[in-house]
Amino acid sequence: MSYHPSSARTRARGRDLRGFCNTVTTGLVKGKETRTRLSRKDVLDAAAELVRRHGPRSLTMRGLAAELGTAVTSIYWHVGNRESLLDALVERTVADLGEIRPVGRTPAQRVVSVARALRRQLLDHPHLVAMVHERGLTERMFLPAQRSLVHEVHEAGLRGARAADAVRSVQVHVVGHVLVERNRERAPVQRPAEEEPWTKDTAEQDGALARALAGPLDPEALFTVSVKALVTGLLGPGAMTVGGGPYPH
Amino acid sequence: MSYHPSSARTRARGRDLRGFCNTVTTGLVKGKETRTRLSRKDVLDAAAELVRRHGPRSLTMRGLAAELGTAVTSIYWHVGNRESLLDALVERTVADLGEIRPVGRTPAQRVVSVARALRRQLLDHPHLVAMVHERGLTERMFLPAQRSLVHEVHEAGLRGARAADAVRSVQVHVVGHVLVERNRERAPVQRPAEEEPWTKDTAEQDGALARALAGPLDPEALFTVSVKALVTGLLGPGAMTVGGGPYPH
DNA sequence: ACCTGAACACCGTTCAAGT
DNA sequence: ACCTGAACACCGTTCAAGT
């Protein structure tokens, strides 16, 4: 419709064709660079910083413009609109997530190590997870772990569709777990079960079980338990036994 | 501060103290009821319908007022503000989710059946999942399954903290899986891996694996596979063997 | 090619005023 | 106790106009 570069959003999501003409620095004002021209990268950088500090909801076009010292409308020229700005941000961050190296003696241990590392990576970018999720790009979060998982699952003797299922099971479990976790963080005061909290009477006469269910949840520990169980189930019995299970028996 | 009932949101989240004086119907206009007075229930019902049809983002206070044929500000009197309106909506829907009856011969089979039923319930209320999630009430979605899971896990011989972990593992897995699934729905055209899609060469020389990874994902099947594996791992080896595994061997 | 201010069509929310 | 219109302080986005 126009020569507006943001029409790139209708093209295949390819490389940014401009952006080579980066910031032209002319001087310093109170330690901050003064731009003569705004670049797409400037916009993304500033937006990324705002999101990193206060989350995506805090990112308004007007606020971003103020941060950059330009008119709101300039931003539109560079990134099209708010939606594709966030798209670009997600794209960039996901691309920065490195591959994950498996650690451990058995394939099962290495798969667990990949799962834990992936979880760590995702939790390190708290807002990213929600943004990728809201954009329907969840599978993107699978990528850093995918190659390693394929290798390890194959190493464990799984083949074909069954191997693919195992890889995806682990991926979905990790991402899903992180989504649930992230959510708990936001509402740390989970309304104390107004449904009766668990008592010995309602918990199969198992006092320890009742206490555990009524008490707080340790996400890290729960993750370890569940991913080990999952991997055990996927790779076959005995898969985790070498490394010792989560519980003394 | 005032007698405004919406100050209930500062009280403990208890029962709605008004709302007994429901709609007073005076006649019919084109098949629609004509209200003389607006009740909190009217507001919630209309809001629920809007959310059900077009999702929570489509719910605006002004639009809701138009739907109800009142001034925007009347709504504020009844529900306080948009946030607590959505809170109330979530509360109501979650409360309507019934308990889940386990089916199957072995405890493992029954746990799997509970997991599948819970997933079904959540997928039946597509917007609810996202809303509960955004509100940080994820554990609420655990509730319909909780009691049955406790029973079955105990039946399988798990006790104390270990039983609690098993219950929670299944719960987080189900909710997490549904979150990931729901997300895929929203973006059905997952950008075809711009990273090279899997080929026989990159997939450990396993052509079937490559095809499976490149192809589409069947969420229902994947869920079954992963939850069976998880339960197997949690309840001990052999747990699922009676019912037959997902794959012929 | 890049940047601008003005304007549009929305929001949620508050408040003083009605009955 | 319940409802109202006017007003406030925000949004994202478009557009014609500048250089």
Side-chain angles (χ1 to χ4, degrees), chain A residues 19-219:
Chain A
F20 294 103
C21 57
N22 271 343
T23 304
V24 180
T25 316
T26 53
L28 292 172
V29 177
K30 288 191 175 180
K32 271 196 168 185
E33 297 186 14
T34 307
R35 276 182 320 278
T36 46
R37 289 167 72 92
L38 191 66
S39 74
R40 180 179 161 95
K41 183 175 181 301
D42 293 329
V43 176
L44 289 184
D45 287 346
E49 180 62 13
L50 286 180
V51 166
R52 197 186 62 74
R53 284 212 305 261
H54 305 110
R57 293 198 62 155
S58 78
L59 179 70
T60 71
M61 302 301 270
R62 289 174 146 93
L64 182 55
E67 189 75 16
L68 287 164
T70 61
V72 209
T73 39
S74 304
I75 297 176
Y76 281 83
W77 196 89
H78 285 286
V79 298
N81 57 27
R82 194 184 119 101
E83 200 56 22
S84 36
L85 166 57
L86 288 176
D87 278 349
L89 231 50
V90 166
E91 205 82 20
R92 224 176 56 160
T93 318
V94 170
D96 282 353
L97 295 179
E99 191 128 351
I100 287 170
R101 283 190 315 118
V103 191
R105 287 202 313 285
T106 67
Q109 287 174 340
R110 291 196 290 273
V111 168
V112 170
S113 83
V114 169
R116 300 181 73 167
L118 176 58
R119 170 172 169 275
R120 260 290 135 235
Q121 259 194 13
L122 297 181
L123 288 179
D124 281 346
H125 300 259
H127 299 305
L128 176 72
V129 181
M131 288 172 66
V132 172
H133 183 63
E134 280 157 21
R135 252 133 255 289
L137 303 176
T138 322
E139 299 205 350
R140 277 284 213 271
M141 295 193 280
F142 292 0
L143 287 183
Q146 179 127 193
R147 194 186 305 264
S148 303
L149 285 177
V150 166
H151 181 75
E152 295 304 333
V153 156
H154 209 261
E155 199 83 352
L158 301 194
R159 296 291 181 272
R162 181 163 179 175
D165 278 353
V167 168
R168 282 169 162 166
S169 290
V170 173
Q171 289 175 319
V172 172
H173 183 80
V174 174
V175 173
H177 203 282
V178 169
L179 284 171
V180 172
E181 262 187 77
R182 265 290 297 156
N183 178 259
R184 274 187 57 86
E185 284 172 34
R186 210 176 338 169
V189 195
Q190 289 274 350
R191 311 185 189 160
E194 62 190 22
E195 329 273 324
E196 87 280 25
W198 288 96
T199 65
K200 198 179 174 196
D201 274 354
T202 55
E204 311 285 320
Q205 302 301 325
D206 185 338
L209 170 55
R211 275 193 305 279
L213 281 177
L217 187 151
D218 177 350

Side-chain angles (χ1 to χ4, degrees), chain B residues 32-48:
Chain B
K32 269 196 169 186
E33 298 187 13
T34 307
R35 275 182 318 279
T36 45
R37 290 168 72 93
L38 192 65
S39 73
R40 179 179 161 95
K41 183 174 180 302
D42 293 330
V43 176
L44 289 185
D45 286 346

Side-chain angles (χ1 to χ4, degrees), chain B residues 153-227:
Chain B
V153 155
H154 209 261
E155 199 84 351
L158 302 194
R159 296 290 181 271
R162 181 162 181 176
D165 278 354
V167 168
R168 282 170 162 166
S169 289
V170 173
Q171 289 175 318
V172 173
H173 183 80
V174 174
V175 174
H177 198 105
V178 170
L179 285 171
V180 171
E181 262 186 77
R182 265 290 297 157
N183 178 261
R184 272 187 58 86
E185 283 172 35
R186 211 175 337 170
V189 194
Q190 288 273 350
R191 311 185 189 160
E194 62 191 22
E195 332 270 324
E196 87 279 26
W198 289 96
T199 65
K200 198 179 176 196
D201 275 354
T202 55
E204 312 282 322
Q205 302 302 324
D206 184 337
L209 171 54
R211 276 192 304 278
L213 281 175
L217 187 151
D218 177 349
E220 171 106 30
L222 184 62
F223 179 77
T224 301
V225 167
S226 63
V227 83

Side-chain angles (χ1 to χ4, degrees), chain B:
Chain B
M1 187 161 296
S2 71
Y3 45 86
H4 194 307
S6 73
S7 58
R9 87 193 110 128
T10 42
R11 286 203 308 270
R13 270 144 165 131
R15 304 284 153 256
D16 180 14
L17 297 180
R18 291 155 304 96
F20 295 104
C21 56
N22 271 341
T23 303
V24 180
T25 316
T26 53
L28 291 173
V29 177
K30 288 191 176 181
K32 269 196 169 186
E33 298 187 13
T34 307
R35 275 182 318 279
T36 45
R37 290 168 72 93
L38 192 65
S39 73
R40 179 179 161 95
K41 183 174 180 302
D42 293 330
V43 176
L44 289 185
D45 286 346
E49 180 61 13
L50 286 179
V51 166
R52 197 186 61 75
R53 285 213 303 261
H54 305 109
R57 292 198 61 155
S58 78
L59 180 70
T60 72
M61 302 300 270
R62 288 174 148 94
L64 182 56
E67 190 75 17
L68 287 164
T70 61
V72 208
T73 39
S74 304
I75 297 177
Y76 281 84
W77 195 89
H78 285 285
V79 298
N81 56 28
R82 193 184 119 99
E83 200 57 21
S84 36
L85 166 57
L86 288 176
D87 279 349
L89 232 48
V90 166
E91 204 82 20
R92 223 175 58 159
T93 318
V94 170
D96 282 353
L97 295 179
E99 189 128 352
I100 286 170
R101 284 190 314 121
V103 191
R105 287 202 313 283
T106 68
Q109 286 174 341
R110 290 195 290 272
V111 169
V112 170
S113 83
V114 169
R116 300 181 73 167
L118 176 57
R119 169 172 170 276
R120 258 292 134 234
Q121 258 194 14
L122 297 181
L123 288 179
D124 281 345
H125 300 259
H127 300 305
L128 176 72
V129 180
M131 288 173 67
V132 173
H133 183 64
E134 280 157 20
R135 253 132 254 290
L137 303 177
T138 321
E139 300 205 349
R140 276 284 212 271
M141 293 193 282
F142 292 1
L143 287 184
Q146 180 127 200
R147 193 186 305 264
S148 304
L149 286 177
V150 166
H151 180 75
E152 295 304 333
V153 155
H154 209 261
E155 199 84 351
L158 302 194
R159 296 290 181 271
R162 181 162 181 176
D165 278 354
V167 168
R168 282 170 162 166
S169 289
V170 173
Q171 289 175 318
V172 173
H173 183 80
V174 174
V175 174
H177 198 105
V178 170
L179 285 171
V180 171
E181 262 186 77
R182 265 290 297 157
N183 178 261
R184 272 187 58 86
E185 283 172 35
R186 211 175 337 170
V189 194
Q190 288 273 350
R191 311 185 189 160
E194 62 191 22
E195 332 270 324
E196 87 279 26
W198 289 96
T199 65
K200 198 179 176 196
D201 275 354
T202 55
E204 312 282 322
Q205 302 302 324
D206 184 337
L209 171 54
R211 276 192 304 278
L213 281 175
L217 187 151
D218 177 349
E220 171 106 30
L222 184 62
F223 179 77
T224 301
V225 167
S226 63
V227 83
K228 279 185 179 174
L230 179 67
V231 170
T232 299
L234 288 170
L235 301 192
M240 284 307 301
T241 51
V242 179
Y247 301 96
H249 57 109

